[in-house]
Amino acid sequence: IVLLSCNDNNMNTHITSVLCRNIENPVCMDRVTFSWKIESDVQKVIQTAWEREVASSKEALEKGKADIWSSGIKESQEQLNIVPDDLKLNYGNIYWWRVRIWDGKKNMTPWSKSAYFSLGPQKKDWKAQWITAEWDEKMPMPYFRKTFNTNYEGGQIERAVAYLSGLGCSDLFINNMRIDSTRILDPAQTNYEQYALYIAFDVTQHIKKGDNCIGIMIGNGWYNQDIVWGKGF
């Protein structure tokens, strides 16, 4: 992308496509990189510097309170997949960020729109053990369920995220409602002896006060099949 050098201090130059890991507002990333695009009504504009801010809420960010991290002004023409230095983050939290740039005439753009992201659990964060069931051919697919209660003194649910990993496909249900019916044969196939992918669901709106029930229906999916690795490969 060709960026900024300008002769008009009143030009209309602004930031668009504010992305984390090349995704708009991702909810579960393994690591963070920042990217953005620049639009201007002036030709041959060149970016010479940028500044990024990260805050714990959209309100704090838009009030200029970058309570998580601020890059300061950095001289650079880079705008794709930039790894933030010294940015300490916790998985599961929502973080809001924005960026602005300077052009070749030292004109500063307005801040970009606020965007958000969150990290998923790293390898060290997984405490769960694999759950399985006896299953013979032609039997119904296993279904797991667990009830839990959200009533606790002085507490209020701010955000609930389900991280689901399975050797094969699965459907997540909460309180008798299927979560995200658009996912088919998800997660993708991997070398299951080495690693397995997981899916993240923001289920905040599905959790109610009091008793809740979480259910998972599983299937073979890409697992337990030899089509890919068999003679037809």
Side-chain angles (χ1 to χ4, degrees):
I1 299 172
V2 178
L3 306 180
L4 317 168
S5 155
C6 65
N7 298 317
D8 182 1
N9 291 335
N10 297 318
M11 69 171 185
N12 180 22
T13 299
H14 57 279
I15 310 299
T16 64
S17 298
V18 182
L19 306 176
C20 176
R21 290 300 302 274
N22 297 316
I23 301 174
E24 183 177 357
N25 298 330
V27 297
C28 185
M29 295 290 99
D30 58 342
R31 58 188 177 90
V32 175
T33 64
F34 294 133
S35 302
W36 59 88
K37 295 180 182 180
I38 301 169
E39 292 187 3
S40 177
D41 57 7
V42 176
Q43 295 183 356
K44 298 181 180 179
V45 177
I46 297 174
Q47 171 187 297
T48 59
W50 47 253
E51 182 178 14
R52 299 191 307 262
E53 292 183 339
V54 178
S56 58
S57 70
K58 184 178 182 180
E59 293 75 18
L61 187 64
E62 293 180 348
K63 291 180 180 179
K65 298 179 180 179
D67 56 349
I68 300 298
W69 178 80
S70 178
S71 68
I73 301 174
K74 303 291 185 181
E75 294 186 0
S76 174
Q77 293 185 347
E78 291 184 302
Q79 61 183 110
L80 298 176
N81 297 320
I82 301 173
V83 179
D85 297 326
D86 303 322
L87 176 56
K88 305 298 182 182
L89 302 169
N90 297 316
Y91 92 82
N93 293 349
I94 286 285
Y95 296 99
W96 290 84
W97 75 284
R98 63 182 183 177
V99 60
R100 62 183 176 184
I101 65 102
W102 281 258
D103 65 17
K105 296 295 183 179
K106 299 184 178 180
N107 295 318
M108 181 182 68
T109 68
W111 286 106
S112 69
K113 69 174 184 178
S114 300
Y116 64 84
F117 65 89
S118 67
L119 293 179
Q122 307 298 301
K123 182 178 179 179
K124 63 181 178 60
D125 299 317
W126 283 93
K127 307 299 183 183
Q129 300 295 320
W130 290 108
I131 304 172
T132 188
E134 295 296 329
W135 185 81
D136 294 324
E137 189 175 356
K138 297 183 180 180
M139 287 181 59
M141 290 298 180
Y143 177 79
F144 301 96
R145 70 188 299 273
K146 181 178 178 63
T147 58
F148 61 97
N149 190 286
T150 58
N151 288 335
Y152 52 97
E153 185 176 356
Q156 181 178 354
I157 295 176
E158 294 184 0
R159 185 170 183 246
V161 180
Y163 302 101
L164 174 60
S165 180
L167 303 183
C169 63
S170 55
D171 280 329
L172 173 66
F173 297 82
I174 295 181
N175 297 326
N176 203 34
M177 179 174 293
R178 185 182 180 188
I179 308 299
D180 197 348
S181 60
T182 65
R183 297 177 181 267
I184 306 296
L185 293 178
D186 199 9
Q189 187 177 43
T190 62
N191 183 341
Y192 296 105
E193 294 180 352
Q194 301 297 324
Y195 63 93
L197 303 178
Y198 67 87
I199 317 164
F201 302 92
D202 189 324
V203 296
T204 308
Q205 63 178 333
H206 301 287
I207 304 298
K208 61 183 181 180
K209 291 183 179 180
D211 292 329
N212 291 262
C213 180
I214 183 170
I216 299 176
M217 184 176 293
I218 63 174
N220 285 328
W222 299 114
Y223 190 67
N224 273 347
Q225 52 83 30
D226 58 5
I227 295 176
V228 172
W229 310 117
K231 296 180 180 180
F233 186 77

